[in-house]
Amino acid sequence: MDKAQERTNAGFSYTRERFEELVSLALSHARKLGATDAGAEASEGCGLSVSVRKGELETVERNRDKSLGVTVYIGQRRGNASTSDFSRAAIEQTVQAAYDIARFTAEDPVAGLPDESDIARREDQRDLDLFHPWPITSEDAAQLALRCERAAFDTDARIANSEGAGVSAQQSHFFSAHTHGFSGGYASSRHSISVAPIAGRGDDMQRDAWYSSMRSADELASPEAVGRYAAERALARLKSRKISTRECPVLFESPLAAGLLGAFVQAVSGGALYRRSSFLLDSLGKPLFADHIDVTEDPFVRRGKGSAPFDEEGVRTSPRKVVDEGRVAGYFLSSYSARKLGMKTTGNAGGSHNLTLSSRLTDPGDDLVRMLKKLGRGLFVIELMGQGVNYVTGDYSRGASGFWVEGGEIAYPVQEITIAGNLRDMYAGIDAVGADVYNYGAKTVGSLLVNRMKVAGS
């Protein structure tokens, strides 16, 4: 076994070789039953999660799970089944169950495995450095969490309470294959430190939170830095007030701006498009964002949280522009949704890969201070509540908290307000994107200034 394979197997109960055997068994049995095509995936995940609160250990959880999923096709009828029992008998029973489901399922004219021309071959499956196991003990994890929470308490005497701090170390690996010639898999990891301090007392209490999440524990922010920053955020929100209803520019803090990018992804994803439940039907090639906005997708970022050499169907991924000078340049399609739309898969079965929203007008010096100057007089939003996005119409309405800004500087914190608009107008009304970029999962974007929204207050 080479060093790369040894590293992949570290901390797992099952080796890559064992997964290959299990998947091969499932596919062989599907063929034996008479399946036209079949696919199977074996996976395993394990990890440690520790939480503390007010200087005391609260929970220590170790998780370990495994699964083998099977998809069987009989012509254009499809059946799925899964098991956590890796015995030969259980796998054969699972394949039989999927086969029986397919037998009694209505034909779907677009059902089927990806076209062979779209499959990621061995030479396409590059190593993206996604696996960095963290062999931390529960005692050491608890100490890191305690340091994080203590740093929050030590920031200011007004931080006297906490919803707790936590440390998580997670890793997983999988192997999948199907009868159109695909086989592949890899291991990945995700580790984090987080804390949620509470500032103030009585009627003037404010909570905020912060975290650091990385593929490698070596790249996590220090627990002290996470704790102090979370505390500073909570303190800044003390003495929040309401504001009157008005229309004004709104600056979205970078983590929230990633949510606006996520709303775009949802609206141009295959499922929403072929069901005709999106306000962005037939938007390909048409202007949507302000003309200085670009959105790129790069699945090959080393250690990226959205990186993948192939999608969940085994289709090869590739870098591309999704928005070019404000125009929609691409959808997010699986093989199934692409066939429903009469198009080709974009390698996005399972979601997007490392999206970055940027502006051609952004200067490297456009930090948050400068973005507040560009806002001038308006609302700086740092928290959103609720799920108020209607993807059929594009209407957007969310509860919000943040700061009122006068003369380009924060005047006072505000709460109990609602911001509203339409996503089409909001995207077209992006005046600026900050250089204060933040990575939120598979999305990276700076703070984002929308020229006008409705703000409902008192």
Side-chain angles (χ1 to χ4, degrees), residues 54-109:
K54 298 188 74 172
E56 299 290 338
L57 180 66
E58 282 220 314
T59 62
V60 176
E61 297 180 4
R62 289 193 177 275
N63 60 286
R64 185 176 294 274
D65 56 80
K66 58 188 174 75
S67 177
L68 186 136
V70 180
T71 301
V72 169
Y73 293 90
I74 303 175
Q76 290 179 304
R77 300 194 300 271
R78 175 176 55 194
N80 299 284
S82 63
T83 181
S84 59
D85 184 343
F86 284 178
S87 68
R88 184 183 187 92
I91 291 173
E92 290 182 352
Q93 290 170 5
T94 302
V95 176
Q96 181 72 57
Y99 183 83
D100 291 341
I101 292 169
R103 286 171 55 210
F104 296 104
T105 299
E107 286 198 1
D108 185 337

Side-chain angles (χ1 to χ4, degrees), residues 399-413:
S401 297
F403 301 91
W404 184 251
V405 176
E406 291 278 0
E409 295 185 356
I410 289 175
Y412 49 84

Side-chain angles (χ1 to χ4, degrees), residues 69-198:
V70 180
T71 301
V72 169
Y73 293 90
I74 303 175
Q76 290 179 304
R77 300 194 300 271
R78 175 176 55 194
N80 299 284
S82 63
T83 181
S84 59
D85 184 343
F86 284 178
S87 68
R88 184 183 187 92
I91 291 173
E92 290 182 352
Q93 290 170 5
T94 302
V95 176
Q96 181 72 57
Y99 183 83
D100 291 341
I101 292 169
R103 286 171 55 210
F104 296 104
T105 299
E107 286 198 1
D108 185 337
V110 300
L113 294 172
D115 296 340
E116 292 186 18
S117 59
D118 295 325
I119 297 302
R121 304 301 174 183
R122 289 286 186 179
E123 58 271 21
D124 299 322
Q125 297 180 28
R126 63 182 74 184
D127 179 9
L128 299 174
D129 196 25
L130 304 180
F131 184 58
H132 295 270
W134 190 11
I136 190 170
T137 65
S138 56
E139 292 82 3
D140 288 343
Q143 286 303 312
L144 286 178
L146 289 168
R147 283 168 53 192
C148 185
E149 188 184 48
R150 174 48 54 194
F153 283 133
D154 289 346
T155 301
D156 191 288
R158 291 172 292 173
I159 304 288
N161 202 351
S162 163
E163 290 187 355
V167 169
S168 176
Q170 301 291 326
Q171 62 186 59
S172 62
H173 73 130
F174 75 94
F175 177 80
S176 64
H178 57 61
T179 53
H180 275 194
F182 171 75
S183 65
Y186 53 87
S188 62
S189 57
R190 183 75 67 89
H191 314 302
S192 65
I193 299 174
S194 61
V195 66
I198 299 171

Side-chain angles (χ1 to χ4, degrees), residues 4 21 28 46 77 97-98 119 165 176 197 210 220 226 235 240 268 286 318 331-332 410-411 421 439:
E21 292 171 1
S28 296
C46 58
R77 300 194 300 271
I119 297 302
S176 64
W210 199 249
L220 290 171
V226 174
L235 290 164
S240 289
V268 293
K286 297 178 182 177
S318 59
Y331 291 155
F332 295 86
I410 289 175
N439 175 261

Side-chain angles (χ1 to χ4, degrees), residues 204-235:
D204 186 23
M205 295 174 64
Q206 293 289 339
R207 170 204 176 276
D208 213 306
W210 199 249
Y211 74 98
S212 176
S213 175
M214 292 291 174
R215 295 283 191 186
S216 172
D218 294 341
E219 295 182 344
L220 290 171
S222 73
E224 288 77 16
V226 174
R228 283 193 300 270
Y229 186 58
E232 290 166 359
R233 293 175 64 89
L235 290 164

